[in-house]
Amino acid sequence: MGISYRLSECLETAFNQWSAVRITDKQLRKLIQLAMVPNKEVLEDLEAGLMDELSTQYNNMCDSVYEYALSSPTQQTETTKGTVFGAYNAVTGYFQNIRSYKDGEAKIKSLLFGGTAQMRTQKAFHICEDFAATGGSILNMN
């Protein structure tokens, strides 16, 4: 119980900090793209600016997360809209509320047991953590 309580405190501190860190729409899109990268080839194309090389499936998924970030009512509060916390919340919200799964068991496996959702949200967490610490330099915005 002590470990869970300590983790909860650490997350609360991080999320409160992130809710005070502003992010532009352009940075938000880039953060989403980086968090949703499925493999190193896509990452290399993204970093090289080869947007035409990115798959339609990848682009559609990123567009869905971005749309969720800009339009979901939960994303319009003071602590989420235009903040790093909102960016993280958009990625997690996509996997919990938008993405389709074969069934409830597949959703649970994806979210909690090392599936795509868990890996992408963990990646988003680390990107947001770096963004908050460095002021966005992690995104290599040109």
Side-chain angles (χ1 to χ4, degrees), residues 15 18 31 34-36 65 87-96 101 110-112 115-129:
F15 293 159
W18 295 357
L31 187 147
L34 289 172
M36 303 305 277
V65 177
Y88 177 71
N89 197 47
V91 174
T92 61
Y94 166 79
F95 284 109
Q96 293 172 5
Y101 297 90
S110 186
L111 289 168
L112 301 176
T116 299
Q118 185 180 32
M119 290 186 301
R120 299 294 186 280
T121 57
Q122 187 169 356
K123 189 185 299 183
F125 184 91
H126 292 300
I127 294 168
C128 290
E129 192 172 47

PDB file of all heavy atoms in Angstrom, residues 15 18 31 34-36 65 87-96 101 110-112 115-129:
ATOM      1  N   PHE A  15       1.648  15.645 -12.618  1.00  0.00           N
ATOM      2  CA  PHE A  15       0.494  16.141 -13.362  1.00  0.00           C
ATOM      3  C   PHE A  15       0.183  17.591 -13.014  1.00  0.00           C
ATOM      4  O   PHE A  15      -0.184  18.386 -13.891  1.00  0.00           O
ATOM      5  CB  PHE A  15      -0.723  15.253 -13.132  1.00  0.00           C
ATOM      6  CG  PHE A  15      -0.588  13.859 -13.696  1.00  0.00           C
ATOM      7  CD1 PHE A  15      -1.384  12.832 -13.218  1.00  0.00           C
ATOM      8  CD2 PHE A  15       0.327  13.552 -14.692  1.00  0.00           C
ATOM      9  CE1 PHE A  15      -1.278  11.547 -13.725  1.00  0.00           C
ATOM     10  CE2 PHE A  15       0.452  12.276 -15.210  1.00  0.00           C
ATOM     11  CZ  PHE A  15      -0.356  11.266 -14.721  1.00  0.00           C
ATOM     12  N   TRP A  18       2.764  19.603 -14.883  1.00  0.00           N
ATOM     13  CA  TRP A  18       2.477  19.614 -16.317  1.00  0.00           C
ATOM     14  C   TRP A  18       1.291  20.509 -16.653  1.00  0.00           C
ATOM     15  O   TRP A  18       1.246  21.095 -17.735  1.00  0.00           O
ATOM     16  CB  TRP A  18       2.185  18.208 -16.821  1.00  0.00           C
ATOM     17  CG  TRP A  18       3.329  17.250 -16.734  1.00  0.00           C
ATOM     18  CD1 TRP A  18       4.605  17.502 -16.307  1.00  0.00           C
ATOM     19  CD2 TRP A  18       3.296  15.874 -17.070  1.00  0.00           C
ATOM     20  NE1 TRP A  18       5.356  16.357 -16.367  1.00  0.00           N
ATOM     21  CE2 TRP A  18       4.572  15.342 -16.830  1.00  0.00           C
ATOM     22  CE3 TRP A  18       2.298  15.023 -17.534  1.00  0.00           C
ATOM     23  CZ2 TRP A  18       4.886  14.009 -17.058  1.00  0.00           C
ATOM     24  CZ3 TRP A  18       2.603  13.700 -17.758  1.00  0.00           C
ATOM     25  CH2 TRP A  18       3.882  13.197 -17.535  1.00  0.00           C
ATOM     26  N   LEU A  31       4.313  16.095 -30.401  1.00  0.00           N
ATOM     27  CA  LEU A  31       4.366  15.218 -29.234  1.00  0.00           C
ATOM     28  C   LEU A  31       3.527  13.967 -29.478  1.00  0.00           C
ATOM     29  O   LEU A  31       3.967  12.844 -29.194  1.00  0.00           O
ATOM     30  CB  LEU A  31       3.877  15.961 -27.994  1.00  0.00           C
ATOM     31  CG  LEU A  31       4.033  15.233 -26.665  1.00  0.00           C
ATOM     32  CD1 LEU A  31       4.315  16.236 -25.553  1.00  0.00           C
ATOM     33  CD2 LEU A  31       2.830  14.403 -26.321  1.00  0.00           C
ATOM     34  N   LEU A  34       5.294  11.664 -31.923  1.00  0.00           N
ATOM     35  CA  LEU A  34       6.397  10.943 -31.289  1.00  0.00           C
ATOM     36  C   LEU A  34       5.897   9.849 -30.354  1.00  0.00           C
ATOM     37  O   LEU A  34       6.468   8.755 -30.294  1.00  0.00           O
ATOM     38  CB  LEU A  34       7.294  11.912 -30.526  1.00  0.00           C
ATOM     39  CG  LEU A  34       8.138  12.849 -31.380  1.00  0.00           C
ATOM     40  CD1 LEU A  34       8.837  13.881 -30.513  1.00  0.00           C
ATOM     41  CD2 LEU A  34       9.152  12.067 -32.213  1.00  0.00           C
ATOM     42  N   ALA A  35       4.836  10.129 -29.625  1.00  0.00           N
ATOM     43  CA  ALA A  35       4.298   9.135 -28.687  1.00  0.00           C
ATOM     44  C   ALA A  35       3.684   7.942 -29.415  1.00  0.00           C
ATOM     45  O   ALA A  35       3.725   6.820 -28.904  1.00  0.00           O
ATOM     46  CB  ALA A  35       3.249   9.785 -27.783  1.00  0.00           C
ATOM     47  N   MET A  36       3.147   8.164 -30.589  1.00  0.00           N
ATOM     48  CA  MET A  36       2.437   7.111 -31.301  1.00  0.00           C
ATOM     49  C   MET A  36       3.316   6.322 -32.273  1.00  0.00           C
ATOM     50  O   MET A  36       2.840   5.409 -32.939  1.00  0.00           O
ATOM     51  CB  MET A  36       1.241   7.719 -32.055  1.00  0.00           C
ATOM     52  CG  MET A  36       0.265   8.466 -31.150  1.00  0.00           C
ATOM     53  SD  MET A  36      -0.368   7.488 -29.785  1.00  0.00           S
ATOM     54  CE  MET A  36      -1.665   6.632 -30.617  1.00  0.00           C
ATOM     55  N   VAL A  65      -5.979  11.259 -32.215  1.00  0.00           N
ATOM     56  CA  VAL A  65      -5.522  11.724 -30.906  1.00  0.00           C
ATOM     57  C   VAL A  65      -5.545  13.252 -30.865  1.00  0.00           C
ATOM     58  O   VAL A  65      -6.004  13.855 -29.888  1.00  0.00           O
ATOM     59  CB  VAL A  65      -4.108  11.196 -30.573  1.00  0.00           C
ATOM     60  CG1 VAL A  65      -3.622  11.743 -29.235  1.00  0.00           C
ATOM     61  CG2 VAL A  65      -4.075   9.676 -30.568  1.00  0.00           C
ATOM     62  N   ALA A  87      -1.804  17.166 -23.165  1.00  0.00           N
ATOM     63  CA  ALA A  87      -1.219  16.331 -24.213  1.00  0.00           C
ATOM     64  C   ALA A  87      -1.164  14.879 -23.763  1.00  0.00           C
ATOM     65  O   ALA A  87      -1.548  13.967 -24.502  1.00  0.00           O
ATOM     66  CB  ALA A  87       0.175  16.843 -24.564  1.00  0.00           C
ATOM     67  N   TYR A  88      -0.703  14.658 -22.548  1.00  0.00           N
ATOM     68  CA  TYR A  88      -0.647  13.299 -22.013  1.00  0.00           C
ATOM     69  C   TYR A  88      -2.054  12.721 -21.889  1.00  0.00           C
ATOM     70  O   TYR A  88      -2.313  11.570 -22.264  1.00  0.00           O
ATOM     71  CB  TYR A  88       0.048  13.294 -20.647  1.00  0.00           C
ATOM     72  CG  TYR A  88       0.071  11.933 -19.996  1.00  0.00           C
ATOM     73  CD1 TYR A  88       0.874  10.920 -20.500  1.00  0.00           C
ATOM     74  CD2 TYR A  88      -0.741  11.664 -18.899  1.00  0.00           C
ATOM     75  CE1 TYR A  88       0.879   9.669 -19.915  1.00  0.00           C
ATOM     76  CE2 TYR A  88      -0.735  10.416 -18.312  1.00  0.00           C
ATOM     77  CZ  TYR A  88       0.074   9.412 -18.818  1.00  0.00           C
ATOM     78  OH  TYR A  88       0.072   8.167 -18.237  1.00  0.00           O
ATOM     79  N   ASN A  89      -2.971  13.522 -21.400  1.00  0.00           N
ATOM     80  CA  ASN A  89      -4.356  13.099 -21.231  1.00  0.00           C
ATOM     81  C   ASN A  89      -4.996  12.755 -22.572  1.00  0.00           C
ATOM     82  O   ASN A  89      -5.842  11.863 -22.649  1.00  0.00           O
ATOM     83  CB  ASN A  89      -5.139  14.201 -20.516  1.00  0.00           C
ATOM     84  CG  ASN A  89      -6.443  13.712 -19.934  1.00  0.00           C
ATOM     85  OD1 ASN A  89      -6.485  12.689 -19.281  1.00  0.00           O
ATOM     86  ND2 ASN A  89      -7.499  14.463 -20.180  1.00  0.00           N
ATOM     87  N   ALA A  90      -4.588  13.435 -23.642  1.00  0.00           N
ATOM     88  CA  ALA A  90      -5.131  13.142 -24.968  1.00  0.00           C
ATOM     89  C   ALA A  90      -4.707  11.756 -25.437  1.00  0.00           C
ATOM     90  O   ALA A  90      -5.519  11.010 -25.996  1.00  0.00           O
ATOM     91  CB  ALA A  90      -4.681  14.205 -25.973  1.00  0.00           C
ATOM     92  N   VAL A  91      -3.444  11.404 -25.210  1.00  0.00           N
ATOM     93  CA  VAL A  91      -2.967  10.079 -25.619  1.00  0.00           C
ATOM     94  C   VAL A  91      -3.679   8.994 -24.807  1.00  0.00           C
ATOM     95  O   VAL A  91      -4.200   8.023 -25.367  1.00  0.00           O
ATOM     96  CB  VAL A  91      -1.436   9.970 -25.481  1.00  0.00           C
ATOM     97  CG1 VAL A  91      -0.964   8.545 -25.765  1.00  0.00           C
ATOM     98  CG2 VAL A  91      -0.736  10.955 -26.419  1.00  0.00           C
ATOM     99  N   THR A  92      -3.729   9.159 -23.496  1.00  0.00           N
ATOM    100  CA  THR A  92      -4.389   8.142 -22.671  1.00  0.00           C
ATOM    101  C   THR A  92      -5.886   8.089 -22.973  1.00  0.00           C
ATOM    102  O   THR A  92      -6.473   7.008 -23.037  1.00  0.00           O
ATOM    103  CB  THR A  92      -4.157   8.391 -21.165  1.00  0.00           C
ATOM    104  OG1 THR A  92      -4.692   9.662 -20.796  1.00  0.00           O
ATOM    105  CG2 THR A  92      -2.686   8.314 -20.817  1.00  0.00           C
ATOM    106  N   GLY A  93      -6.490   9.252 -23.185  1.00  0.00           N
ATOM    107  CA  GLY A  93      -7.912   9.305 -23.501  1.00  0.00           C
ATOM    108  C   GLY A  93      -8.248   8.629 -24.818  1.00  0.00           C
ATOM    109  O   GLY A  93      -9.292   7.982 -24.948  1.00  0.00           O
ATOM    110  N   TYR A  94      -7.368   8.777 -25.793  1.00  0.00           N
ATOM    111  CA  TYR A  94      -7.578   8.106 -27.080  1.00  0.00           C
ATOM    112  C   TYR A  94      -7.677   6.594 -26.869  1.00  0.00           C
ATOM    113  O   TYR A  94      -8.603   5.944 -27.362  1.00  0.00           O
ATOM    114  CB  TYR A  94      -6.451   8.448 -28.050  1.00  0.00           C
ATOM    115  CG  TYR A  94      -6.425   7.547 -29.252  1.00  0.00           C
ATOM    116  CD1 TYR A  94      -7.308   7.731 -30.315  1.00  0.00           C
ATOM    117  CD2 TYR A  94      -5.533   6.479 -29.329  1.00  0.00           C
ATOM    118  CE1 TYR A  94      -7.308   6.887 -31.412  1.00  0.00           C
ATOM    119  CE2 TYR A  94      -5.517   5.629 -30.425  1.00  0.00           C
ATOM    120  CZ  TYR A  94      -6.404   5.832 -31.464  1.00  0.00           C
ATOM    121  OH  TYR A  94      -6.399   4.982 -32.546  1.00  0.00           O
ATOM    122  N   PHE A  95      -6.716   6.032 -26.147  1.00  0.00           N
ATOM    123  CA  PHE A  95      -6.712   4.579 -25.952  1.00  0.00           C
ATOM    124  C   PHE A  95      -7.857   4.103 -25.064  1.00  0.00           C
ATOM    125  O   PHE A  95      -8.359   2.999 -25.251  1.00  0.00           O
ATOM    126  CB  PHE A  95      -5.368   4.118 -25.388  1.00  0.00           C
ATOM    127  CG  PHE A  95      -4.285   4.097 -26.427  1.00  0.00           C
ATOM    128  CD1 PHE A  95      -3.265   5.030 -26.393  1.00  0.00           C
ATOM    129  CD2 PHE A  95      -4.295   3.162 -27.452  1.00  0.00           C
ATOM    130  CE1 PHE A  95      -2.266   5.021 -27.353  1.00  0.00           C
ATOM    131  CE2 PHE A  95      -3.305   3.150 -28.423  1.00  0.00           C
ATOM    132  CZ  PHE A  95      -2.284   4.077 -28.369  1.00  0.00           C
ATOM    133  N   GLN A  96      -8.285   4.925 -24.133  1.00  0.00           N
ATOM    134  CA  GLN A  96      -9.367   4.514 -23.240  1.00  0.00           C
ATOM    135  C   GLN A  96     -10.753   4.771 -23.818  1.00  0.00           C
ATOM    136  O   GLN A  96     -11.690   4.026 -23.528  1.00  0.00           O
ATOM    137  CB  GLN A  96      -9.228   5.234 -21.902  1.00  0.00           C
ATOM    138  CG  GLN A  96      -8.006   4.805 -21.139  1.00  0.00           C
ATOM    139  CD  GLN A  96      -7.754   5.659 -19.908  1.00  0.00           C
ATOM    140  OE1 GLN A  96      -8.542   6.540 -19.558  1.00  0.00           O
ATOM    141  NE2 GLN A  96      -6.638   5.411 -19.248  1.00  0.00           N
ATOM    142  N   TYR A 101     -11.403  -1.805 -29.919  1.00  0.00           N
ATOM    143  CA  TYR A 101     -10.766  -3.070 -29.563  1.00  0.00           C
ATOM    144  C   TYR A 101     -11.708  -4.206 -29.931  1.00  0.00           C
ATOM    145  O   TYR A 101     -12.924  -4.013 -29.990  1.00  0.00           O
ATOM    146  CB  TYR A 101     -10.462  -3.121 -28.066  1.00  0.00           C
ATOM    147  CG  TYR A 101      -9.489  -2.062 -27.610  1.00  0.00           C
ATOM    148  CD1 TYR A 101      -9.946  -0.814 -27.182  1.00  0.00           C
ATOM    149  CD2 TYR A 101      -8.120  -2.294 -27.607  1.00  0.00           C
ATOM    150  CE1 TYR A 101      -9.052   0.164 -26.767  1.00  0.00           C
ATOM    151  CE2 TYR A 101      -7.227  -1.318 -27.184  1.00  0.00           C
ATOM    152  CZ  TYR A 101      -7.706  -0.095 -26.763  1.00  0.00           C
ATOM    153  OH  TYR A 101      -6.820   0.868 -26.359  1.00  0.00           O
ATOM    154  N   SER A 110      -4.295  -4.482 -23.745  1.00  0.00           N
ATOM    155  CA  SER A 110      -3.591  -3.369 -24.380  1.00  0.00           C
ATOM    156  C   SER A 110      -3.246  -2.270 -23.380  1.00  0.00           C
ATOM    157  O   SER A 110      -2.154  -1.713 -23.409  1.00  0.00           O
ATOM    158  CB  SER A 110      -4.439  -2.793 -25.517  1.00  0.00           C
ATOM    159  OG  SER A 110      -3.724  -1.805 -26.222  1.00  0.00           O
ATOM    160  N   LEU A 111      -4.183  -1.981 -22.481  1.00  0.00           N
ATOM    161  CA  LEU A 111      -3.995  -0.895 -21.521  1.00  0.00           C
ATOM    162  C   LEU A 111      -3.088  -1.267 -20.346  1.00  0.00           C
ATOM    163  O   LEU A 111      -2.325  -0.421 -19.868  1.00  0.00           O
ATOM    164  CB  LEU A 111      -5.343  -0.443 -20.962  1.00  0.00           C
ATOM    165  CG  LEU A 111      -6.261   0.314 -21.912  1.00  0.00           C
ATOM    166  CD1 LEU A 111      -7.658   0.429 -21.330  1.00  0.00           C
ATOM    167  CD2 LEU A 111      -5.692   1.673 -22.241  1.00  0.00           C
ATOM    168  N   LEU A 112      -3.156  -2.516 -19.897  1.00  0.00           N
ATOM    169  CA  LEU A 112      -2.507  -2.861 -18.632  1.00  0.00           C
ATOM    170  C   LEU A 112      -1.404  -3.912 -18.701  1.00  0.00           C
ATOM    171  O   LEU A 112      -0.604  -4.015 -17.774  1.00  0.00           O
ATOM    172  CB  LEU A 112      -3.569  -3.353 -17.633  1.00  0.00           C
ATOM    173  CG  LEU A 112      -4.679  -2.375 -17.292  1.00  0.00           C
ATOM    174  CD1 LEU A 112      -5.691  -3.029 -16.370  1.00  0.00           C
ATOM    175  CD2 LEU A 112      -4.119  -1.108 -16.675  1.00  0.00           C
ATOM    176  N   GLY A 115       0.574  -4.059 -23.721  1.00  0.00           N
ATOM    177  CA  GLY A 115       0.076  -3.903 -25.083  1.00  0.00           C
ATOM    178  C   GLY A 115       0.392  -2.531 -25.656  1.00  0.00           C
ATOM    179  O   GLY A 115       1.063  -1.702 -25.040  1.00  0.00           O
ATOM    180  N   THR A 116      -0.105  -2.306 -26.839  1.00  0.00           N
ATOM    181  CA  THR A 116       0.150  -1.062 -27.559  1.00  0.00           C
ATOM    182  C   THR A 116      -0.231   0.160 -26.733  1.00  0.00           C
ATOM    183  O   THR A 116       0.532   1.120 -26.645  1.00  0.00           O
ATOM    184  CB  THR A 116      -0.626  -1.051 -28.892  1.00  0.00           C
ATOM    185  OG1 THR A 116      -0.165  -2.148 -29.685  1.00  0.00           O
ATOM    186  CG2 THR A 116      -0.401   0.246 -29.653  1.00  0.00           C
ATOM    187  N   ALA A 117      -1.395   0.139 -26.122  1.00  0.00           N
ATOM    188  CA  ALA A 117      -1.844   1.305 -25.348  1.00  0.00           C
ATOM    189  C   ALA A 117      -0.892   1.597 -24.204  1.00  0.00           C
ATOM    190  O   ALA A 117      -0.521   2.756 -23.978  1.00  0.00           O
ATOM    191  CB  ALA A 117      -3.260   1.074 -24.818  1.00  0.00           C
ATOM    192  N   GLN A 118      -0.481   0.577 -23.487  1.00  0.00           N
ATOM    193  CA  GLN A 118       0.432   0.794 -22.364  1.00  0.00           C
ATOM    194  C   GLN A 118       1.778   1.333 -22.847  1.00  0.00           C
ATOM    195  O   GLN A 118       2.331   2.263 -22.265  1.00  0.00           O
ATOM    196  CB  GLN A 118       0.632  -0.484 -21.563  1.00  0.00           C
ATOM    197  CG  GLN A 118       1.473  -0.243 -20.317  1.00  0.00           C
ATOM    198  CD  GLN A 118       1.688  -1.495 -19.505  1.00  0.00           C
ATOM    199  OE1 GLN A 118       1.756  -2.592 -20.043  1.00  0.00           O
ATOM    200  NE2 GLN A 118       1.804  -1.321 -18.200  1.00  0.00           N
ATOM    201  N   MET A 119       2.290   0.778 -23.931  1.00  0.00           N
ATOM    202  CA  MET A 119       3.588   1.240 -24.443  1.00  0.00           C
ATOM    203  C   MET A 119       3.524   2.689 -24.928  1.00  0.00           C
ATOM    204  O   MET A 119       4.422   3.480 -24.646  1.00  0.00           O
ATOM    205  CB  MET A 119       4.066   0.323 -25.562  1.00  0.00           C
ATOM    206  CG  MET A 119       4.476  -1.050 -25.067  1.00  0.00           C
ATOM    207  SD  MET A 119       5.214  -2.096 -26.323  1.00  0.00           S
ATOM    208  CE  MET A 119       3.919  -2.210 -27.546  1.00  0.00           C
ATOM    209  N   ARG A 120       2.453   3.038 -25.645  1.00  0.00           N
ATOM    210  CA  ARG A 120       2.340   4.403 -26.177  1.00  0.00           C
ATOM    211  C   ARG A 120       2.095   5.420 -25.060  1.00  0.00           C
ATOM    212  O   ARG A 120       2.630   6.521 -25.092  1.00  0.00           O
ATOM    213  CB  ARG A 120       1.230   4.497 -27.213  1.00  0.00           C
ATOM    214  CG  ARG A 120       1.384   3.638 -28.434  1.00  0.00           C
ATOM    215  CD  ARG A 120       2.559   4.025 -29.318  1.00  0.00           C
ATOM    216  NE  ARG A 120       2.579   3.260 -30.543  1.00  0.00           N
ATOM    217  CZ  ARG A 120       3.033   2.016 -30.670  1.00  0.00           C
ATOM    218  NH1 ARG A 120       3.508   1.375 -29.640  1.00  0.00           N
ATOM    219  NH2 ARG A 120       3.013   1.400 -31.835  1.00  0.00           N
ATOM    220  N   THR A 121       1.284   5.065 -24.079  1.00  0.00           N
ATOM    221  CA  THR A 121       1.036   6.012 -22.989  1.00  0.00           C
ATOM    222  C   THR A 121       2.285   6.169 -22.122  1.00  0.00           C
ATOM    223  O   THR A 121       2.556   7.260 -21.635  1.00  0.00           O
ATOM    224  CB  THR A 121      -0.182   5.623 -22.132  1.00  0.00           C
ATOM    225  OG1 THR A 121      -0.013   4.314 -21.611  1.00  0.00           O
ATOM    226  CG2 THR A 121      -1.466   5.689 -22.946  1.00  0.00           C
ATOM    227  N   GLN A 122       3.050   5.110 -21.984  1.00  0.00           N
ATOM    228  CA  GLN A 122       4.306   5.223 -21.241  1.00  0.00           C
ATOM    229  C   GLN A 122       5.291   6.106 -22.005  1.00  0.00           C
ATOM    230  O   GLN A 122       5.978   6.941 -21.418  1.00  0.00           O
ATOM    231  CB  GLN A 122       4.913   3.848 -20.996  1.00  0.00           C
ATOM    232  CG  GLN A 122       6.129   3.893 -20.096  1.00  0.00           C
ATOM    233  CD  GLN A 122       6.563   2.508 -19.641  1.00  0.00           C
ATOM    234  OE1 GLN A 122       5.918   1.505 -19.924  1.00  0.00           O
ATOM    235  NE2 GLN A 122       7.661   2.468 -18.946  1.00  0.00           N
ATOM    236  N   LYS A 123       5.330   5.943 -23.327  1.00  0.00           N
ATOM    237  CA  LYS A 123       6.189   6.801 -24.144  1.00  0.00           C
ATOM    238  C   LYS A 123       5.733   8.252 -24.031  1.00  0.00           C
ATOM    239  O   LYS A 123       6.554   9.166 -23.888  1.00  0.00           O
ATOM    240  CB  LYS A 123       6.156   6.351 -25.606  1.00  0.00           C
ATOM    241  CG  LYS A 123       7.196   7.058 -26.460  1.00  0.00           C
ATOM    242  CD  LYS A 123       7.102   6.709 -27.935  1.00  0.00           C
ATOM    243  CE  LYS A 123       7.309   5.263 -28.212  1.00  0.00           C
ATOM    244  NZ  LYS A 123       7.276   4.961 -29.666  1.00  0.00           N
ATOM    245  N   ALA A 124       4.424   8.477 -24.068  1.00  0.00           N
ATOM    246  CA  ALA A 124       3.889   9.837 -23.923  1.00  0.00           C
ATOM    247  C   ALA A 124       4.269  10.421 -22.570  1.00  0.00           C
ATOM    248  O   ALA A 124       4.616  11.602 -22.472  1.00  0.00           O
ATOM    249  CB  ALA A 124       2.366   9.830 -24.090  1.00  0.00           C
ATOM    250  N   PHE A 125       4.224   9.603 -21.525  1.00  0.00           N
ATOM    251  CA  PHE A 125       4.598  10.061 -20.193  1.00  0.00           C
ATOM    252  C   PHE A 125       6.036  10.568 -20.191  1.00  0.00           C
ATOM    253  O   PHE A 125       6.324  11.658 -19.694  1.00  0.00           O
ATOM    254  CB  PHE A 125       4.430   8.933 -19.165  1.00  0.00           C
ATOM    255  CG  PHE A 125       4.709   9.374 -17.754  1.00  0.00           C
ATOM    256  CD1 PHE A 125       3.692   9.848 -16.952  1.00  0.00           C
ATOM    257  CD2 PHE A 125       5.994   9.331 -17.235  1.00  0.00           C
ATOM    258  CE1 PHE A 125       3.936  10.271 -15.649  1.00  0.00           C
ATOM    259  CE2 PHE A 125       6.265   9.741 -15.933  1.00  0.00           C
ATOM    260  CZ  PHE A 125       5.228  10.218 -15.139  1.00  0.00           C
ATOM    261  N   HIS A 126       6.940   9.798 -20.765  1.00  0.00           N
ATOM    262  CA  HIS A 126       8.353  10.191 -20.777  1.00  0.00           C
ATOM    263  C   HIS A 126       8.597  11.438 -21.632  1.00  0.00           C
ATOM    264  O   HIS A 126       9.395  12.304 -21.257  1.00  0.00           O
ATOM    265  CB  HIS A 126       9.225   9.035 -21.244  1.00  0.00           C
ATOM    266  CG  HIS A 126       9.253   7.897 -20.271  1.00  0.00           C
ATOM    267  ND1 HIS A 126       9.711   8.026 -18.976  1.00  0.00           N
ATOM    268  CD2 HIS A 126       8.845   6.615 -20.389  1.00  0.00           C
ATOM    269  CE1 HIS A 126       9.598   6.878 -18.347  1.00  0.00           C
ATOM    270  NE2 HIS A 126       9.071   6.006 -19.179  1.00  0.00           N
ATOM    271  N   ILE A 127       7.898  11.554 -22.740  1.00  0.00           N
ATOM    272  CA  ILE A 127       8.031  12.750 -23.587  1.00  0.00           C
ATOM    273  C   ILE A 127       7.517  13.972 -22.838  1.00  0.00           C
ATOM    274  O   ILE A 127       8.153  15.032 -22.856  1.00  0.00           O
ATOM    275  CB  ILE A 127       7.294  12.559 -24.930  1.00  0.00           C
ATOM    276  CG1 ILE A 127       7.969  11.462 -25.760  1.00  0.00           C
ATOM    277  CG2 ILE A 127       7.270  13.878 -25.710  1.00  0.00           C
ATOM    278  CD1 ILE A 127       7.154  11.016 -26.964  1.00  0.00           C
ATOM    279  N   CYS A 128       6.376  13.836 -22.173  1.00  0.00           N
ATOM    280  CA  CYS A 128       5.820  14.952 -21.400  1.00  0.00           C
ATOM    281  C   CYS A 128       6.745  15.339 -20.252  1.00  0.00           C
ATOM    282  O   CYS A 128       6.944  16.531 -19.980  1.00  0.00           O
ATOM    283  CB  CYS A 128       4.435  14.597 -20.872  1.00  0.00           C
ATOM    284  SG  CYS A 128       3.172  14.504 -22.154  1.00  0.00           S
ATOM    285  N   GLU A 129       7.311  14.356 -19.601  1.00  0.00           N
ATOM    286  CA  GLU A 129       8.265  14.598 -18.517  1.00  0.00           C
ATOM    287  C   GLU A 129       9.461  15.397 -19.029  1.00  0.00           C
ATOM    288  O   GLU A 129       9.863  16.393 -18.423  1.00  0.00           O
ATOM    289  CB  GLU A 129       8.705  13.244 -17.962  1.00  0.00           C
ATOM    290  CG  GLU A 129       9.451  13.255 -16.676  1.00  0.00           C
ATOM    291  CD  GLU A 129       9.650  11.836 -16.156  1.00  0.00           C
ATOM    292  OE1 GLU A 129      10.050  10.932 -16.926  1.00  0.00           O
ATOM    293  OE2 GLU A 129       9.387  11.648 -14.961  1.00  0.00           O
TER     294      GLU A 129
END
